[in-house]
Amino acid sequence: MRRRILTTALAATGVLALSACSGGGGASSGMDARGPITIWYSNNDAEIAWGEQMVKAWNDANPDQQVTAQEIPAGSSSEEVIGAAITAGNAPCLIFNTSPAAVPGFQKQGGLVNLSDFPDGEQYITDRSGDLADQYRSDDGGFYQLPWKSNPVMIFYNKDLFAQAGLDAENPKLSTYDDFLQTAQTLKSAGVAPYAINPAPTSEFFQSWFDFYPLYAAQTGGKQLVEDGQATFDDANGEAVADFWRTIYSDQLAGNEQYQGDAFADGQAAMAIVGPWAISVYKDKVNWGSVPVPTEKGTAASDTWTFSDAKNVGLFTACENKATAWDVLKFATSEEQDGTWLEETGQMPLRTDLTTTYADYFSANPSYQQFGDQAARTVEVPNVQNSVEIWQAFRDDYSKAVIFGEGDVKTFLSDAKTQIDQLAAGK
C-alpha cells in the first residue's frame, strides 16, 4: 500500500486476458463511445471495499454501461503487470493504482489516453486538484493521469520511547537538523531502541522517496528532483539534506542493513517516515505522535512541504468505450466518492480545500488532521522521460555516498546530476 504493490510471481498469461469491452481500442478511437468497461483497483482490503461500493453505485444507476472490476493481477510489481497489459493490448479501461513514476513509460508505450482531450478534461482535473495538478502534466502539457490520492509523509515517533529517554513526548525537538540529530542521539544513548530512525537502506529506485526526497521537498519549499529538464539537487540545499542523512548513518542512528519486519512497530526504531495509512496500522501497536519532516533551520508546519506518495488513475488506450471510462473516472473522484474514499482508507484525495470540504471527517478523526493540512503542500516525482531510471541512478549514488559513506557528498551530487540530466534529455 505504501509503495508499489509487491506480490508473488507474474501469473499465467491468461490472467491478463480481459473481456472485449476493454481491448482493441486506439489512442483516439472510442472517445465518444459508451458501453461496458473493465477496471482494476489495488489489492488491499480498504481500497477493495471502496472500489466495490463505487462500482455498485455506478452500475445501479447505469444499467447500459456496466463496470466489471477486479484487483490488479498478481505480479512482481503493479508497474510490470500494467506494462505487460499495455504491450498485449488488453489493459483495462481504468487502473486505480497508477504510479506517477511509471506514467512516462506507459505514455511512451502508447498505453495512456490524454485526459485533456476530453472537452471537460482539463477543467475537471484543475478544478479538483488546483495548482498541485500541474506536477502531473506531461511534457506536451496534457494529463495522462488523473491526480487521485496522496499519502503525504511525515515523521511518526514513539511517545513511550521518547518518554523513556527523558524527552518531551508531546513537543519533541525535531524541527531542525541539529535538534533532530540531538534527539536521535539521546534516544540511542538511552538504549530505548537500536535505532532512532530506520528507513529502508535497500537499492530499489523508490526508496529515496522515503528518506532524501521528503526532506529535500521541505528544505527547498517544494522543489522536485528535476525541473525544466535539469536536476535541481546539486546545491546547498541538496548538500544539507544529504549531509544530514550521512550523519544519521555514520553515527549509527539508522542501520545500513535491511531489517526484516517493521522496525517502528517492532520497537527497533523510535521514529519512521510514513503517511496517513500508518494511523490504522499502528493504532494498536504504538503510542505515536507525528510532526512534519525537519529542515536545516526549522520551518513552520504550515509552510513545510513533503513527498506526496500519490497513486493516480490512468485511462488506457486499449479501452473501447472511453467516454464511459471518463464518466466513471469523474464519478469515482466526485466530492461524494472522495469523501467515501477518505472514510474507508484514511488516504487524502488530491483535491483543493480538503480539510474544509470534509470538516466533519477531520473533526471526528483528529489524528488525520495534520495529514489533511499537509496534503496541500506535497511534491510529486518529476513527470519526465526515463523517470524510473533517474530515480535508480540517484539511489545508486546516494547509497554509496550517504548510506555506506563511500566518497564525499559533493561528488555524489555532482555526478548524479550529470547522469540525471542526460537521462532527462533522453540520452
Side-chain angles (χ1 to χ4, degrees):
M1 178 175 173
R2 173 180 175 183
R3 302 172 188 172
R4 53 182 188 174
I5 297 176
L6 298 177
T7 48
T8 52
L10 187 59
T13 304
V15 80
L16 292 176
L18 299 172
S19 61
C21 68
S22 62
S28 59
S29 65
M31 295 294 281
D32 298 322
R34 288 184 167 80
I37 68 168
T38 301
I39 70 172
W40 291 349
Y41 41 65
S42 178
N43 62 359
N44 73 71
D45 291 342
E47 296 194 31
I48 291 170
W50 171 82
E52 288 176 344
Q53 68 76 34
M54 184 275 289
V55 169
K56 183 179 186 303
W58 171 271
N59 284 345
D60 287 349
N62 299 275
D64 59 338
Q65 300 179 73
Q66 294 287 284
V67 174
T68 300
Q70 68 173 76
E71 299 173 39
I72 191 167
S76 61
S77 72
S78 57
E79 291 82 14
E80 179 181 318
V81 171
I82 295 168
I86 293 172
T87 298
N90 57 16
C93 284
L94 299 171
I95 299 180
F96 288 80
N97 195 54
T98 304
S99 169
V103 165
F106 297 157
Q107 183 182 344
K108 187 176 181 179
Q109 283 184 270
L112 290 168
V113 172
N114 183 357
L115 302 178
S116 299
D117 287 345
F118 289 103
D120 60 343
E122 182 82 13
Q123 183 170 356
Y124 180 79
I125 291 171
T126 54
D127 283 354
R128 179 176 176 271
S129 297
D131 291 342
L132 288 180
D134 284 336
Q135 298 183 77
Y136 300 95
R137 290 186 187 274
S138 292
D139 288 343
D140 64 3
F143 286 109
Y144 292 81
Q145 57 187 317
L146 183 137
W148 179 34
K149 52 99 169 183
S150 70
N151 277 279
V153 300
M154 301 178 72
I155 302 291
F156 260 39
Y157 67 95
N158 186 317
K159 290 185 176 182
D160 293 339
L161 296 185
F162 270 57
Q164 289 175 32
L167 296 165
D168 186 342
E170 299 303 323
N171 297 287
K173 291 185 176 182
L174 294 169
S175 64
T176 71
Y177 292 170
D178 286 345
D179 282 348
F180 193 105
L181 291 169
Q182 184 175 346
T183 294
Q185 291 283 6
T186 300
L187 289 163
K188 185 169 180 65
S189 298
V192 298
Y195 299 112
I197 192 168
N198 202 46
T202 50
S203 61
E204 297 92 344
F205 74 91
F206 56 83
Q207 295 294 6
S208 291
W209 303 346
F210 304 99
D211 45 37
F212 178 88
Y213 203 40
L215 272 66
Y216 183 69
Q219 179 66 18
T220 59
K223 271 191 179 180
Q224 293 182 294
L225 195 80
V226 176
E227 293 185 352
D228 299 322
Q230 299 287 313
T232 61
F233 53 79
D234 185 18
D235 62 7
N237 287 320
E239 188 175 350
V241 176
D243 281 339
F244 168 83
W245 281 113
R246 179 155 170 157
T247 301
I248 289 281
Y249 286 104
S250 65
D251 289 356
Q252 297 184 320
L253 302 172
N256 60 14
E257 294 184 6
Q258 184 177 13
Y259 176 74
Q260 300 298 328
D262 186 321
F264 187 66
D266 296 344
Q268 296 297 299
M271 293 180 283
I273 299 181
V274 292
W277 60 268
I279 293 174
S280 61
V281 172
Y282 294 133
K283 66 179 180 180
D284 297 323
K285 300 177 181 178
V286 180
N287 178 22
W288 59 269
S290 60
V291 295
V293 298
T295 57
E296 185 176 20
K297 302 300 182 184
T299 304
S302 60
D303 295 325
T304 300
W305 289 70
T306 192
F307 170 57
S308 61
D309 196 14
K311 281 291 175 65
N312 294 334
V313 189
L315 197 165
F316 289 79
T317 53
C319 179
E320 289 185 350
N321 295 316
K322 294 182 177 68
T324 291
W326 175 236
D327 288 344
V328 170
L329 182 48
K330 289 186 290 184
F331 174 78
T333 56
S334 63
E335 183 175 320
E336 180 180 359
Q337 281 296 327
D338 278 347
T340 304
W341 171 264
L342 191 57
E343 291 275 358
E344 290 282 352
T345 71
Q347 299 178 60
M348 305 293 124
L350 274 166
R351 60 185 305 133
T352 60
D353 301 320
L354 183 65
T355 55
T356 53
T357 301
Y358 305 108
D360 289 347
Y361 171 83
F362 289 105
S363 177
N365 299 276
S367 57
Y368 288 89
Q369 179 71 45
Q370 263 189 309
F371 292 94
D373 292 337
Q374 183 66 77
R377 299 176 305 282
T378 54
V379 173
E380 189 48 73
V381 300
N383 190 346
V384 294
Q385 59 184 322
N386 295 321
S387 176
V388 171
E389 292 83 356
I390 282 170
W391 284 105
Q392 191 63 66
F394 182 87
R395 187 65 180 179
D396 291 344
D397 288 354
Y398 175 90
S399 295
K400 292 176 184 177
V402 175
I403 297 176
F404 298 105
E406 300 174 9
D408 65 271
V409 163
K410 285 187 176 182
T411 300
F412 142 58
L413 294 171
S414 177
D415 290 351
K417 173 179 169 52
T418 298
Q419 187 174 0
I420 288 171
D421 285 351
Q422 292 175 344
L423 288 167
K427 299 178 181 179

